[in-house]
Amino acid sequence: DFIFHLAAQSIVKKSYKDTIETWKTNLLGTVNILECLRETKAPSTAIIITSDKCYDNVEWVWGYRETDKLGGQDPYSASKAAAEIAFQSYAKTYFNDTKNVKIASARAGNVIGGGDWASGRLIPDCMRSWSTGKSAEIRNPMATRPWQHVLEPLSGYLQLAARLNEDCQLHGESFNFGPSGSGAESVKDLVEEMSQYWEDVQFKETIPKTKKFYEAKLLQLNCEKAHHYLDWSSSLNFKQTAQFTADWYKEFYKGNPSMLKVTLNQIKRYIQIEKEKGSS
């Protein structure tokens, strides 16, 4: 009944080493899902999740809107832009009859939260280092990103699917999901905020002298469309986002035997915050 396509090769650095695999996973993987939707006889509502990096990032100070130009200099970003183009093509060419299939795309990124173990990502790398008292290596401290806890875009995807299932006018549309306001904080700001929750851990920022691949310094999203059509906006502020994330990893590295319970408690806490905010 509902399909959420989140699968991806999602590491920018890895896209330079495994370029073909990145393109195959991110573009052809999306096309495979769209082809399955073409063949299905059952009514389906599908959310195709790509990335905020699908935009042609010229590093302007205002947030990108869903109608802005797609593109990408690095292989990862370009593959996500291509996935969006494939989505648009299928929506217009094959899915005109919305009685059977309704699809929309969702663009979010810079998601942090417990359970991410990917190599080359800021938070997992910091958590691994700090848990053993080692220094954390920061690749690009002044780069700004719209950091958000993983529960934020997930709530948006669920809300988009529910609304799309009822409203055919959202078929073929794309939506940004990101923090409220400018929402962009630097890598250094995030690391300093996270470090406050590791009281007895000594660390030192180290910046690599060489840089072997391109990485954007500034990225922001405009999420007014999601707010207008879905009544969605982020619920956690920057401090809460950092604390939710740090608390999860601290419990893990303390050896908590029930990380599922920790995770479920965070979900309950997030829902409570949403209700307090007045979210639907």
Side-chain angles (χ1 to χ4, degrees), residues 71-95:
Q73 182 170 330
D74 61 88
Y76 169 76
S77 301
S79 70
K80 286 299 189 176
E84 283 282 354
I85 292 172
F87 153 77
Q88 293 172 2
S89 173
Y90 272 78
K92 294 175 181 178
T93 305
Y94 300 117
F95 302 138

Side-chain angles (χ1 to χ4, degrees), residues 63-184:
Y64 291 93
R65 296 178 182 269
E66 291 82 353
T67 53
D68 284 324
K69 182 181 177 182
L70 300 173
Q73 182 170 330
D74 61 88
Y76 169 76
S77 301
S79 70
K80 286 299 189 176
E84 283 282 354
I85 292 172
F87 153 77
Q88 293 172 2
S89 173
Y90 272 78
K92 294 175 181 178
T93 305
Y94 300 117
F95 302 138
N96 292 321
D97 181 9
T98 54
K99 292 181 180 179
N100 192 45
V101 173
K102 295 189 283 288
I103 61 174
S105 76
R107 303 165 181 176
N110 301 103
V111 173
I112 63 176
D116 183 1
W117 306 111
S119 177
R121 274 190 176 152
L122 176 66
I123 297 304
D125 286 351
C126 285
M127 298 298 104
R128 279 188 285 261
S129 297
W130 296 348
S131 67
T132 58
K134 296 179 180 178
S135 62
E137 184 175 284
I138 303 172
R139 186 169 61 238
N140 199 350
M142 301 316 297
T144 62
R145 296 287 185 269
W147 308 105
Q148 58 182 328
H149 191 271
V150 61
L151 294 177
E152 300 273 41
L154 290 179
S155 73
Y157 303 158
L158 291 169
Q159 202 150 325
L160 173 57
R163 197 66 60 88
L164 175 62
N165 190 51
E166 300 171 353
D167 187 355
C168 293
Q169 292 185 348
L170 298 183
H171 171 68
E173 294 290 329
S174 298
F175 289 85
N176 290 335
F177 294 97
S180 301
S182 65

Side-chain angles (χ1 to χ4, degrees), residues 214-228:
Y214 168 80
E215 198 167 20
K217 296 185 184 303
L218 178 64
L219 177 62
Q220 297 189 71
L221 293 178
N222 182 306
C223 302
E224 291 179 5
K225 185 176 180 180
H227 181 68
H228 177 75

